[in-house]
Amino acid sequence: MRECSRISRRAVLGLTAAALPLSTAATLPLATAAAAEPAVIGGEQLARGGIQVRGAAGLPAKITARSWLIADCDSGEVLAAFNAHRRLPPASTLKMLFADTVLEKFGRTERYTVKDSDLADIPAGSSLVGIKPGITYTVEQLWQGVFLRSGNDAVHVLSHMNGGIGTTVAEMQAKATDLQALDTHVVSPDGFDHPGQISSAYDLTLFARHGLKNTDFRGYCGTRIADFPAGGKKTFQIQNTDRLLTGAMGLRTYDGLIGVKNGYTSNAGNTFTGAATRGGRTLLVTVMHPAEGSNAVYEQTAALLDWGFGGGRSAQSVGTLVEPLSEGGSKASPAPGAKGAQLAGGGESTSSGGPSAGRLVEGAAGTALLLAAAGAWVVKRRRRTVAAAEAAEPAAPVEPEPTEPGGRHRR
């Protein structure tokens, strides 16, 4: 400590200046560690890293997803989870929140003639159902385009009907807050890769559970095929991209599956939230970004569902899916001892395009703390100030998201 106590004022200020960019990439930002304990939604155990399960054995051994969760849809009890609150890019599973937000605003039979401007802001590389300007669609057909083909064109048309992309994004964020899905940050209504667009297995499961209470939501996500307008009296057939529902790409259909939504981008990998009913019990499973190829997200979902309907029946709750605030849900309170909902999972940036506003705020707070430490050193020159500076060293940078060939095409 003698050598450390000789640290110059310039060195301390240099550490302070460097703190902002480092803390914006930190897994556990200084501000988070030093501030008041964060709220843990669903229970403190869900904030822990690694597999969380009690009272049951036999979980599938080959689950390679970066995050997953299985819960009872009716009771809301979480039966098992792995990094439930890990923040990851959601891809098209975010469309569940879009439906939760917009679905009830328009009647199924309402008709809308698409304009060029409705399709002008669709990101390049998006999955499309094939909507064309000048053609009139029913709201039901637009939602079929959203749920079956994950069509960003259908999402953008409905968003413009709802007052525009900005309005819809703001309403989705407000809906996420009401659902207590606090891991979620919405940038676009379609789930396409954008810096800062994140969610978690816990939040996606909340979106699915809420949506399945709506008869139209449940009907759309369980529809296998539909005829879609092609102009005039012509139609073409569209098929749901949920492979457990249709048995596509060599997979077998899952007995009792009722939905919900799949997704893929280069950044997010494959994501899926599925729901199935057997013996009067409905289970929800969310799987995010398995290490293997495109079928793995379905295979691992099916394996977790099998466990839930089998050996998982004896599982004791490790957490709960909270109720919406607007429906009487209790607002989460700080959980003693929990140093953050990302203990092992880490809050992750969805792109190298720069930190989100939230992370900049965290970084600024970390810098403020270092400035306070530097001021104390100048006034008192005490060794404890040096120790505080050492303790303020930021955590390791967030690991970069892997990329796959094929650009950002998404489903």
Side-chain angles (χ1 to χ4, degrees):
M1 284 299 293
R2 285 184 178 177
E3 186 63 26
C4 290
S5 66
R6 296 193 186 105
I7 184 170
S8 69
R9 182 185 181 192
R10 182 175 297 176
V12 173
L13 295 178
L15 176 62
T16 303
L20 179 58
L22 286 171
S23 59
T24 59
T27 301
L28 283 176
L30 173 62
T32 302
E37 300 289 358
V40 179
I41 307 298
E44 183 181 349
Q45 192 166 351
L46 294 183
R48 301 173 187 169
I51 294 174
Q52 304 300 317
V53 63
R54 292 192 303 171
L59 275 167
K62 296 183 178 180
I63 304 296
T64 64
R66 301 174 72 179
S67 176
W68 57 262
L69 181 147
I70 177 169
D72 186 290
C73 187
D74 294 326
S75 69
E77 291 185 345
V78 178
L79 308 181
F82 175 70
N83 294 338
H85 284 290
R86 185 174 190 174
R87 294 173 179 177
L88 294 165
S92 280
T93 48
L94 193 65
K95 288 183 171 77
M96 294 186 293
L97 176 60
F98 172 70
D100 288 343
T101 305
V102 179
L103 185 59
E104 294 183 343
K105 294 191 174 188
F106 307 102
R108 295 169 64 100
T109 60
E110 189 172 335
R111 300 171 67 82
Y112 181 78
T113 302
V114 174
K115 304 184 290 291
D116 288 315
S117 58
D118 297 329
L119 306 175
D121 46 13
I122 299 173
S126 290
S127 56
L128 305 171
V129 66
I131 290 175
K132 303 295 183 185
I135 297 179
T136 300
Y137 302 85
T138 65
V139 166
E140 178 179 18
Q141 290 165 340
L142 293 173
W143 282 113
Q144 287 172 343
V146 172
F147 278 95
L148 275 67
R149 297 305 302 174
S150 206
N152 285 6
D153 45 359
V155 170
H156 280 244
V157 170
L158 285 163
S159 295
H160 283 284
M161 291 172 63
N162 187 52
I165 299 298
T167 296
T168 302
V169 166
E171 290 181 356
M172 288 173 66
Q173 193 65 64
K175 187 68 173 181
T177 300
D178 178 61
L179 296 176
Q180 305 200 65
L182 303 187
D183 299 325
T184 298
H185 179 232
V186 183
V187 178
S188 67
D190 47 36
F192 197 80
D193 286 340
H194 292 284
Q197 183 136 279
I198 52 174
S199 192
S200 67
Y202 183 87
D203 285 9
L204 294 176
T205 310
L206 285 181
F207 302 154
R209 185 184 186 218
H210 183 76
L212 289 172
K213 297 176 183 178
N214 182 289
T215 302
D216 287 342
F217 183 109
R218 196 181 185 100
Y220 290 137
C221 75
T223 300
R224 289 175 170 81
I225 58 174
D227 291 326
F228 201 77
K233 295 183 178 181
K234 296 181 180 180
T235 62
F236 60 94
Q237 192 177 84
I238 58 175
Q239 177 174 294
N240 202 312
T241 55
D242 177 351
R243 298 176 193 176
L244 288 185
L245 190 68
T246 64
M249 301 297 289
L251 287 176
R252 301 173 69 175
T253 57
Y254 192 84
D255 183 29
L257 194 82
I258 55 178
V260 182
K261 190 71 191 75
N262 57 319
Y264 170 77
T265 67
S266 301
N267 193 37
N270 290 281
T271 60
F272 181 59
T273 298
T277 300
R278 288 185 184 177
R281 188 186 196 194
T282 299
L283 297 180
L284 291 163
V285 170
T286 295
V287 173
M288 300 187 76
H289 203 159
E292 300 86 356
S294 60
N295 273 348
V297 74
Y298 302 104
E299 293 166 346
Q300 294 179 24
T301 296
L304 287 168
L305 285 169
D306 285 344
W307 175 82
F309 289 122
R313 284 186 173 274
S314 63
Q316 301 173 29
S317 173
V318 295
T320 186
L321 300 177
V322 295
E323 299 296 331
L325 296 174
S326 61
E327 297 177 17
S330 299
K331 192 170 184 178
S333 57
K339 293 296 182 183
Q342 309 304 317
L343 231 78
E348 297 190 18
S349 170
T350 64
S351 169
S352 59
S356 67
R359 292 193 178 279
L360 288 174
V361 169
E362 292 168 349
T367 301
L369 288 175
L370 281 174
L371 281 170
W377 186 91
V378 171
V379 174
K380 298 185 179 180
R381 295 176 177 266
R382 299 179 65 173
R383 291 179 182 178
R384 61 178 181 171
T385 307
V386 176
E390 291 173 341
E393 181 179 353
V398 172
E399 60 180 295
E401 292 289 343
T403 56
E404 299 178 9
R408 289 174 170 250
H409 179 74
R410 64 189 307 286
R411 292 195 177 113

